[in-house]
C-alpha cells in the first residue's frame, strides 16, 4: 500500500497514508495466551509498533 501511495493523485479525498487508516480502523485479536512465553510475546508486540492501541 505504501509503495503505491505517491500515486494517490487520483483520490484527492484520501489525505493520509494507507498504513495510518489501517492502524486507526483495523483491530486484531489472539487466542488465549495462558501458556505463552511473555518475553517472546512482548517482542512480537514491539515489532508491530502498536503504540497506544494496546
Amino acid at each position: 500500500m505504501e509503495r503505491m501511495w505517491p500515486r494517490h493523485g487520483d483520490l484527492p479525498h484520501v489525505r493520509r497514508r494507507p498504513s495510518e487508516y489501517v492502524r486507526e480502523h483495523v483491530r486484531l485479536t489472539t487466542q488465549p495466551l495462558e501458556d505463552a512465553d511473555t518475553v517472546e510475546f512482548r517482542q512480537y508486540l514491539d515489532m508491530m509498533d502498536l503504540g497506544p492501541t494496546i
Side-chain angles (χ1 to χ4, degrees):
M1 290 186 295
E2 299 296 319
R3 190 174 53 221
M4 295 176 63
W5 173 243
R7 300 185 337 202
H8 78 283
D10 298 341
L11 304 167
H13 61 282
V14 178
R15 305 206 186 286
R16 297 183 293 163
R17 295 180 6 221
S19 60
E20 293 176 28
Y21 286 105
V22 170
R23 281 182 191 248
E24 183 177 339
H25 296 283
V26 176
R27 296 293 179 255
L28 305 172
T29 63
T30 64
Q31 62 187 24
L33 298 170
E34 292 87 14
D35 298 328
D37 176 2
T38 56
V39 173
E40 186 176 4
F41 185 66
R42 174 51 70 183
Q43 290 172 344
Y44 289 137
L45 293 177
D46 290 342
M47 282 189 279
M48 289 187 267
D49 189 29
L50 299 175
T53 60
I54 307 182

